[in-house]
Amino acid sequence: SSGINAEYGDQRKENAEAIVEQAHQLVTNSETAVQDTVKSLIEKYLEKLYFLLHGPIISRMLQQRDLQYYLLHLLSRASVTAVSHLVKAKLYQLSYSTEAGCTELRVSEYPPVTLALRSDKLVVLDTLTDIYIWIGSKIQSNKEKLLEQAKLFVEQLIAERFPVPSQAVLLDDTASNRFVDCYLMPLHKDNLDLQLSILPELKDVSAEELRQLTSKFQHITLKSFNQWLEEIRLIVTPSLAF
């Protein structure tokens, strides 16, 4: 009888220890999940703050005070979704892909960064109030057809939007590029590892092509998101998970 009781007591002790261990693991996992969630939220808010401070709403990159007053007016009255769009523009890249002998249009959303403006691409920048169709200077074929498709895509973007955004077609390597540049984060100022983490397709670009692409944006004086974080001494790994 005493042996059975001792064995039963040992079993209860093991069960209790297992329950305590499971509870401890659950608490640890919960704390980790909360920390990850908080970190993700902080990064997203910092990212929005960066675009607000460095974009055309507050900065003077365009040197157009009337536009700034108009954007600030919209910002004070817009919905949460519209505010997010005003602060951080949306960028789309359009291209044709050929698979199994069939050519189809591919539309991909990209982070609003300078290195997305590659000269062999067509890009649509949607700032909520304005739509810019940017045409790279090295698009080899189907340029007119691609432009037509871009205009159709823009019509879909603004189908139910009021007021209707203004639209403009901009050419690569022209002074009008400043209307697009002011909405983009200068990723070209960051190191290659960070560039590849945000735009993985850059790994297929040669060193010379990347140098030429980077040189297009040397006139931009704004700091990148990562440089800004270092300036305010915040140790955050920027995810820019657009």
Side-chain angles (χ1 to χ4, degrees), residues 121-136:
K121 305 296 181 182
L122 186 147
V123 165
V124 172
L125 183 75
D126 180 5
T127 73
L128 188 67
T129 59
D130 301 276
I131 303 285
Y132 297 106
I133 299 176
W134 182 88
I135 304 174

Side-chain angles (χ1 to χ4, degrees), residues 12-242:
R12 284 195 302 176
K13 181 179 179 181
E14 290 177 3
N15 291 341
E17 290 175 348
I19 292 173
V20 170
E21 178 61 30
Q22 291 175 3
H24 176 72
Q25 190 64 41
L26 181 61
V27 170
T28 301
N29 292 341
S30 298
E31 289 177 349
T32 302
V34 169
Q35 290 173 357
D36 291 343
T37 301
V38 170
K39 181 181 177 182
S40 177
L41 287 173
I42 290 174
E43 289 184 1
K44 289 180 180 179
Y45 282 121
L46 284 172
E47 182 187 285
K48 291 292 192 298
L49 181 59
Y50 168 84
F51 279 103
L52 175 62
L53 295 176
H54 296 80
I57 296 178
I58 292 181
S59 74
R60 297 186 178 183
M61 190 170 182
L62 285 180
Q63 298 294 329
Q64 295 182 352
R65 299 299 293 174
D66 289 345
L67 174 60
Q68 285 186 304
Y69 290 141
Y70 172 62
L71 292 176
L72 285 170
H73 175 75
L74 287 181
L75 195 67
S76 65
R77 295 172 176 266
S79 65
V80 173
T81 302
V83 166
S84 179
H85 195 165
L86 277 170
V87 170
K88 180 181 172 184
K90 296 182 179 181
L91 189 144
Y92 304 90
Q93 191 180 96
L94 281 70
S95 60
Y96 283 110
S97 63
T98 302
E99 295 182 6
C102 298
T103 301
E104 63 177 1
L105 179 70
R106 178 176 297 174
V107 179
S108 306
E109 185 169 0
Y110 274 68
V113 297
T114 51
L115 295 184
L117 298 187
R118 292 170 56 185
S119 294
D120 60 341
K121 305 296 181 182
L122 186 147
V123 165
V124 172
L125 183 75
D126 180 5
T127 73
L128 188 67
T129 59
D130 301 276
I131 303 285
Y132 297 106
I133 299 176
W134 182 88
I135 304 174
S137 59
K138 295 182 180 179
I139 297 179
Q140 298 297 327
S141 59
N142 295 320
K143 182 182 293 186
E144 290 77 14
K145 186 178 179 181
L146 194 57
L147 178 58
E148 290 178 5
Q149 293 295 330
K151 290 179 178 178
L152 292 175
F153 172 67
V154 169
E155 287 182 8
Q156 297 174 5
L157 280 179
I158 65 176
E160 299 180 359
R161 196 177 300 179
F162 183 84
V164 178
S166 63
Q167 301 178 40
V169 177
L170 309 179
L171 300 179
D172 188 9
D173 296 327
T174 62
S176 58
N177 279 358
R178 70 186 189 280
F179 292 104
V180 172
D181 292 345
C182 67
Y183 288 94
L184 305 179
M185 190 275 283
L187 182 62
H188 62 281
K189 294 188 175 184
D190 290 321
N191 61 61
L192 182 59
D193 289 339
L194 186 56
Q195 292 172 356
L196 291 176
S197 69
I198 296 172
L199 292 178
E201 65 272 17
L202 289 178
K203 68 179 184 297
D204 299 323
V205 176
S206 69
E208 177 59 23
E209 289 174 329
L210 186 57
R211 187 196 64 78
Q212 292 179 3
L213 177 59
T214 300
S215 67
K216 291 169 50 174
F217 307 107
Q218 293 305 314
H219 62 283
I220 297 177
T221 59
L222 296 178
K223 292 179 173 62
S224 71
F225 179 48
N226 192 52
Q227 289 174 328
W228 177 67
L229 289 179
E230 292 176 353
E231 185 180 66
I232 61 178
R233 298 183 180 181
L234 279 177
I235 309 301
V236 179
T237 302
S239 60
L240 284 174
F242 293 86

